Amino acid sequence: MQARAKIQVKTNQVRKDRINPYIFGHFVEDIRDHMDAMLAYPLADMDFESADVTYRGLSGRWRPYTNGKSTLYTLEPAAAHHSGQSQRVRVYSDDEAYAGLSQAIAVKQDLDGYYLALYARASIEIKYVVAEIVDRKSEEVLGSTRIDVVSHNWMHYESRLTVSRSCEHAEFRLYVPSEHERWLDHVSTGMLWLDHISLLPSDSVGHIRKEVMDMTKDLNAGMMRLAGNYISAYHWQQAIGPVYERPSVINEAWGGWTNKYFGTDEFIGFCRELNVEPLICVNDGSGTPEEAAEWVEYCNGDKNTPMGKLRAANGHAEPYGVKYWEIGNEVWGGWQVGHCSAEQFAERYMRFAQSMKAIDPGIRLLACGNEKMDWNKTLLERAAEQIDYLTLHLYHGYNRFGMNAHTPKEERYKAILSYPEWTRESVRQLREMFGSSARYAHLKLAITEYNTMYYPNTIRKGLPNEHTLEAAAANAANLNEYIRNSDLIEIGSFSDLVNGWLGGCIRVGDFYADQFRGKSAGRSENSLTVYGTPSYYVMKMYANRDLGYVVESHTECGNFQVGSLAPAALQLDNLPNLDIVACTSVSGDKLTIFMVNRSLEDTLTDVQLDGFAESGTARLLEVTADDYECFNSVNHPDAVVCEAHELSVMKSQVTCQLRASSVYVLEITR
């Protein structure tokens, strides 16, 4: 028989607390290939910071381009005030050769021309170099430009490199051509030094891929967080000012080099382009309260202050006005630089808070909380007056249930779809704690990281589970819980925005970096393809609604149970198949009902509107597929997307067919 359900929306019972759009926020971190994928640069190792690995004397990602048997490559110290190393190419005249270096890249058509930046010098007989992009398979030249090298001293050069068509298997080459007038071999001849090479497509936005920027704008994120494990060893002044002069620094959390092309100014520019509020987490691991306070002053200080003056010198005279600052990222975890006890963190937090608020008393501070309430109890007892938000990170996976790959698939599905129940229990405990003392009455909750994480699948072979319709349904149900608790939860940050962890909701290319491995080159056959996961479409669908306040509702439906090792306080034996939350707009003229069908069968659902609208047309948005393990890929980027339908409102009721393991938004306007 067809499963049936009924939702009664009690439109005259509207809660008083406004739903904060920041709960639909997102999160960027220098983790794995996150920033490399987000940024528009097709070249890697642009400052020659890596050691030679495959080819003697060549920086890591670069390869020789020469037909001369005697061409020599050497890594030398960087130019003055520059980081990384410089690359020397020695061309011997006897070879009558072209000589330079190359790198495999993927490029898109750009008739306005990629912006080519070069920092170089050469021995006096070398008068020019050629930069070109070719199809590696056919050797077709897709674009070429000549750069005259006018000095034996280091100089900045730039040009435009038109690309006639897109090519996944392209190669960038920069070389001294064989047509060059030859020289006699003696001391200091035939030498070309390079200290930086970069390419940017003409449509990039603040160094961000246009496709990523466009998709992120569509998310209507509300807030963007800069944080993560790497931040606990991140010193913000290393990533401001001229990019040539920013140091090359090891990413202590995730391996490889930190991405120095996305520092504070670039992050703020990203947020401004998106029209979202920035949230910055400071380094309380290897950093100091004084360093954090200087960061606040750099962002918010007048240009006459020491750090404000530095910001102005970097091209940004007006203060950024960053209001939200987070102190501590998972400090309770042994993997975190600066890991400490709750008592130690409370004392550290107080020092940071006092220093930062001395610079700008108007900022709002987030303190690192924990799902383990003993940590929160100690922190609040010692520092509650200095805290505006307590943070939680809520990742949901098999580790909570004692499950593994041998557990029946349907049981694993049910466990993942119980995400909101776990969130509800954590929020319940914190709500109880906040209500235990008048000192805590002002506190709000910020979920600064959340996602499904399918532990114990740590090696991540095979299907990327975090990208399935199942994961999207679990994340949607969890968002429903945030909305239900909107009087307490004001901030959410989906983890991650682009690639990075497997859960990145925007994907660039088809490479999946294992979460327990260092940053990889990530070459793929489809590196130019940018697409959204099912969770991307859920986030986009939720954040672009006209929401004001929660409206009470009642649901009658079937239920399911989860076998688990859950704590006794958490009941998972009678969970409703439908996870529902209803909202009204601020003006009261639109009703929005979020519906997640967590069951494995379609459910015909009657939505009773309590007289909100007697008749008319309702709009139903749907994220669904034929199977809960469906996911998007570079070959099928639109397998799971959001589709819209129109339904009739009759006698103040709408009847919806809710497909199994799918997510819906029903909108009625009167």
Side-chain angles (χ1 to χ4, degrees), residues 202-265:
S202 61
D203 65 356
S204 62
V205 185
H207 301 181
I208 306 293
R209 291 178 190 260
K210 181 183 185 299
E211 299 85 353
V212 169
M213 185 66 82
D214 289 346
M215 290 187 68
T216 307
K217 283 181 178 178
D218 289 344
L219 282 171
N220 193 26
M223 176 174 278
M224 190 66 64
R225 175 180 183 249
L226 181 70
N229 287 353
Y230 91 106
I231 213 78
S232 295
Y234 176 79
H235 300 284
W236 66 272
Q237 289 202 45
Q238 294 175 341
I240 61 171
V243 291
Y244 286 172
E245 299 178 16
R246 298 178 186 182
S248 298
V249 180
I250 290 293
N251 187 326
E252 295 179 36
W254 299 112
W257 299 102
T258 58
N259 194 310
K260 65 184 182 181
Y261 292 86
F262 194 78
T264 302
D265 299 305

Side-chain angles (χ1 to χ4, degrees), residues 142-373:
L142 306 176
S144 179
T145 186
R146 167 177 164 150
I147 300 172
D148 293 323
V149 182
V150 299
S151 179
H152 188 243
N153 290 320
W154 287 109
M155 288 188 63
H156 170 85
Y157 300 91
E158 56 188 47
S159 184
R160 285 284 175 182
L161 193 51
T162 302
V163 178
S164 59
R165 63 173 174 83
S166 298
C167 182
E168 280 283 354
H169 300 280
E171 184 172 85
F172 171 80
R173 298 169 178 170
L174 186 118
Y175 60 96
V176 178
S178 57
E179 294 82 10
H180 208 290
E181 184 179 342
R182 290 293 126 178
W183 50 87
L184 295 177
D185 284 329
H186 54 77
V187 176
S188 189
T189 58
M191 287 191 277
L192 173 69
W193 288 266
L194 304 164
D195 194 274
H196 171 91
I197 307 175
S198 63
L199 288 169
L200 267 177
S202 61
D203 65 356
S204 62
V205 185
H207 301 181
I208 306 293
R209 291 178 190 260
K210 181 183 185 299
E211 299 85 353
V212 169
M213 185 66 82
D214 289 346
M215 290 187 68
T216 307
K217 283 181 178 178
D218 289 344
L219 282 171
N220 193 26
M223 176 174 278
M224 190 66 64
R225 175 180 183 249
L226 181 70
N229 287 353
Y230 91 106
I231 213 78
S232 295
Y234 176 79
H235 300 284
W236 66 272
Q237 289 202 45
Q238 294 175 341
I240 61 171
V243 291
Y244 286 172
E245 299 178 16
R246 298 178 186 182
S248 298
V249 180
I250 290 293
N251 187 326
E252 295 179 36
W254 299 112
W257 299 102
T258 58
N259 194 310
K260 65 184 182 181
Y261 292 86
F262 194 78
T264 302
D265 299 305
E266 289 80 15
F267 172 66
I268 298 298
F270 184 50
C271 292
R272 295 293 182 258
E273 185 71 27
L274 296 170
N275 194 30
V276 301
E277 190 75 21
L279 165 62
I280 294 177
C281 185
V282 299
N283 175 4
D284 78 315
S286 62
T288 64
E290 294 74 21
E291 181 182 24
E294 287 180 337
W295 203 354
V296 173
E297 186 175 273
Y298 184 84
C299 290
N300 297 353
D302 182 87
K303 63 182 179 182
N304 295 316
T305 63
M307 292 299 106
K309 183 178 181 180
L310 179 59
R311 182 195 65 243
N314 289 333
H316 308 279
E318 295 301 316
Y320 291 139
V322 178
K323 184 177 181 180
Y324 295 88
W325 296 82
E326 188 174 355
I327 301 173
N329 181 86
E330 299 181 1
V331 190
W332 33 263
W335 55 87
Q336 199 76 204
V337 172
H339 165 62
C340 63
S341 67
E343 292 81 3
Q344 291 169 325
F345 177 67
E347 296 303 316
R348 182 193 302 174
Y349 176 88
M350 290 288 286
R351 294 195 302 273
F352 272 75
Q354 289 165 3
S355 294
M356 293 165 70
K357 285 210 169 186
I359 297 297
D360 185 349
I363 60 176
R364 307 290 302 280
L365 294 181
L366 290 71
C368 175
N370 194 346
E371 283 189 273
K372 297 178 179 178
M373 295 300 150

Side-chain angles (χ1 to χ4, degrees), residues 550-602:
V550 172
V551 176
E552 300 297 339
S553 62
H554 174 72
T555 304
E556 297 176 15
C557 62
N559 56 61
F560 66 99
Q561 63 181 9
V562 181
S564 74
L565 301 177
L570 188 58
Q571 299 297 320
L572 298 177
D573 56 358
N574 191 27
L575 307 185
N577 286 341
L578 302 186
D579 190 293
I580 308 297
V581 63
C583 310
T584 183
S585 60
V586 173
S587 62
D589 63 350
K590 180 174 286 187
L591 186 64
T592 301
I593 305 163
F594 297 98
M595 304 178 290
V596 182
N597 184 1
R598 300 193 287 180
S599 74
L600 292 171
E601 59 181 347
D602 296 354

